[in-house]
Amino acid sequence: AAPDGRSRAVGMQAGTLDTFATRGLAQRFIERGTPVPTGHFGAATTRLDFSTVGAVHPFMLALGQSVTEQLLEEHALAVGARVLRGEEVVSLTQGPDAVEAVIRAAGAHRTVRARWVVGCDGTRSAVRQAAGIGFPGQDTTLTGWLADVELDDPPTGPLAATGTAGSLLVAPIGDGVHRLAGLSTATMHRGTGEPLTLEEVREQTRALLGRDLGIRNPRWLSRYGNATRQAAHYRSGRVLVAGDAAHMFFPAGGQGMNLGIQDATNLGWKLAATLQGRAPDGLLDSYDTERRPAARAVIDNTRARLALFAAASPEQIALREVWSAALAEPRTNRTWARRIAGFDDPLPADTAPGAHPLTGTRLAGLALDVADAPTPHPLMHHGRPLLLDLGGTQTPCSAPGLDQWTVAVNAEKTHALWQDVTAVLIRPDARIAWAATDTDPQSRAADCRAALRTLCG
């Protein structure tokens, strides 16, 4: 009925910021948040270095979800969306050409007819249930806690503490507030509905740090569980699900909101192409085949994080220490920094022979010699496919809605994977649809048109 003032998700990953950059929005969020250059993995003592991931914004942004929602709503309204509050979906009925939704608001019911319905209505999604989409998985077996509080004795930066009493993470989230997230061996089997008290937070903080940081003025105290579920499929006819309606898992490492935003970014341009009659067969179905594996990978790494976060026995603690040592190796650290930042969830493997290694990956590591576009992101503000000719001769390839630029590359700042690329086709969600090393413009054009047919029909 009204915006939720609680901070909830507070970590905006580099991948999400780069996605917002393709719509000219990233700076709005950066101005309101606090950049954090490193992240944790299961309270390991070696932190993940986000400066290595190849992102335009190589950091995690600490920003309360209430601010994120405010900025997204402002943008949605500016581009013509309607936001209706206090309205509840009661039922859905699918037909061959449309979906009828019964909506309850202010005690009255009305029916809305739409060509498509997307349920982004959380883990208890009424839309998912009405569409008959299963939500298999496991129930909660242990709980953690979080407290958004003010501190009289705050740490100088993000802090992780571990011991036989459990684990604790402390990080600033803006406006003088710190988030404490803990998992205590003494309380980890309490139910999510059992109230969390400020004194309990103080006791558990003292048990792990030897001091309570001067905790006061709680903004939000909550317990949360490790229930883990994923929708059996993301589409049923004309109904689709995204975000928490499609997946739920232990909130370790700031990935849930970011995963949902990537769901929406993947689905949005495909749904637009479908509505406008220019989508090839199977484009909308690719939302499920692309995003379900991405969510499964995040579910797996959050389970691994939780195992380290909950380490209590000597064997479990030793595992966390071994993993901390492994993360000190630069290549291992970069691999996991990319995964957590949202840059290492490639699309299902392209079966086309000779496909370039960049195909299916997220746009990263390409620097341009263009004053107002140092990367391709500012060239994508209109949300259309983008063809960049990097070889000095134009690739004659055209399609409705396709943007084309001939640009010079800043070789010194460009990642080695881009060194021989002569042309690249970038999807509206900043995924590489096609990349070529061919120096013949006509041959490139033929290949480009074939790749475009997978996007535009």
Side-chain angles (χ1 to χ4, degrees):
D4 187 341
R6 293 174 292 182
S7 48
R8 293 187 176 269
V10 296
M12 185 174 290
Q13 301 290 358
T16 299
L17 284 169
D18 278 17
T19 293
F20 288 160
T22 66
R23 301 299 184 268
L25 301 175
Q27 194 58 36
R28 302 184 193 181
F29 294 87
I30 294 170
E31 289 171 355
R32 299 287 297 274
T34 302
V36 181
T38 63
H40 74 90
F41 191 103
T45 53
T46 304
R47 293 182 66 83
L48 302 173
D49 181 3
F50 294 133
S51 70
T52 67
V53 304
V56 178
H57 306 94
F59 48 81
M60 183 181 72
L61 191 71
L63 182 68
Q65 185 175 322
S66 58
V67 178
T68 298
E69 291 180 4
Q70 174 197 338
L71 294 175
L72 287 175
E73 182 173 355
E74 288 173 358
H75 177 65
L77 294 171
V79 297
R82 287 192 304 152
V83 178
L84 307 178
R85 296 193 179 275
E87 309 215 359
E88 179 185 5
V89 176
V90 176
S91 66
L92 295 176
T93 303
Q94 291 205 54
D97 303 312
V99 183
E100 290 189 347
V102 176
I103 308 296
R104 178 167 54 213
H109 292 75
R110 74 179 191 283
T111 300
V112 175
R113 183 178 174 85
R115 289 176 62 187
W116 299 91
V117 170
V118 183
C120 307
D121 49 338
T123 59
R124 298 180 179 87
S125 173
V127 171
R128 186 190 64 237
Q129 294 176 50
I133 298 174
F135 202 42
Q138 71 168 44
D139 293 330
T140 291
T141 59
L142 58 82
T143 57
W145 56 268
L146 66 82
D148 291 347
V149 295
E150 294 179 17
L151 302 177
D152 289 329
D153 181 24
T156 56
L159 173 66
T162 60
T164 56
S167 301
L168 174 69
L169 301 171
V170 183
I173 60 174
D175 296 327
V177 177
H178 280 70
R179 167 157 294 180
L180 280 62
L183 195 149
S184 170
T185 53
T187 63
M188 62 194 298
H189 295 296
R190 292 181 180 176
T192 55
E194 186 170 340
L196 176 70
T197 67
L198 193 60
E199 186 52 38
E200 183 181 336
V201 173
R202 289 191 180 108
E203 288 177 2
Q204 297 190 19
T205 303
R206 282 193 294 265
L208 285 160
L209 293 181
R211 65 188 196 281
D212 67 10
L213 302 175
I215 295 170
R216 61 181 175 82
N217 195 14
R219 307 293 181 84
W220 185 32
L221 302 175
S222 178
R223 294 188 201 276
Y224 52 90
N226 66 330
T228 303
R229 298 184 178 278
Q230 185 176 23
H233 41 274
Y234 286 12
R235 177 185 177 187
S236 175
R238 292 183 168 270
V239 178
L240 304 103
V241 291
D244 290 353
H247 39 69
M248 66 182 295
F249 44 84
F250 190 77
Q255 296 181 92
M257 179 188 73
N258 295 276
L259 186 66
I261 289 171
Q262 296 306 324
D263 291 344
T265 307
N266 183 293
L267 176 59
W269 69 273
K270 296 174 180 178
L271 194 55
T274 301
L275 286 164
Q276 295 164 10
R278 53 182 176 81
D281 291 343
L283 181 65
L284 201 54
D285 286 332
S286 72
Y287 166 63
D288 179 280
T289 58
E290 291 178 359
R291 292 309 300 165
R292 274 176 49 78
R296 174 52 53 184
V298 172
I299 287 171
D300 287 345
N301 87 56
T302 55
R303 280 175 161 157
R305 283 169 170 247
L306 177 57
L308 297 178
F309 201 49
S313 71
E315 293 80 8
Q316 293 168 332
I317 292 171
L319 175 63
R320 185 168 56 210
E321 291 173 350
V322 168
W323 179 241
S324 296
L327 287 179
E329 199 280 316
R331 289 182 60 183
T332 302
N333 194 293
R334 181 177 184 272
T335 294
W336 282 99
R338 283 180 59 83
R339 290 185 186 181
I340 301 309
F343 279 89
D344 201 16
D345 58 342
L347 304 183
D350 193 317
T351 56
H356 193 278
L358 286 168
T359 302
T361 64
R362 290 195 56 145
L363 174 62
L366 179 59
L368 307 181
D369 271 336
V370 180
D372 54 351
T375 72
H377 300 74
L379 306 180
M380 302 182 67
H381 289 182
H382 296 295
R384 296 188 286 265
L386 173 67
L387 174 62
L388 294 181
D389 190 294
L390 310 174
T393 56
Q394 274 198 316
T395 300
C397 189
S398 62
L402 176 68
D403 281 0
Q404 297 191 58
W405 291 74
T406 298
V407 292
V409 174
N410 186 329
E412 293 182 358
K413 295 185 178 180
T414 294
H415 190 276
L417 270 177
W418 291 94
Q419 293 301 314
D420 297 324
V421 176
T422 53
V424 59
L425 179 64
I426 306 170
R427 303 186 342 177
D429 57 359
R431 294 277 184 173
I432 307 302
W434 165 80
T437 56
D438 198 331
T439 57
D440 176 55
Q442 298 303 320
S443 177
R444 287 205 308 269
D447 289 344
C448 178
R449 283 191 291 271
L452 267 173
R453 284 193 289 273
T454 68
L455 308 184
C456 308

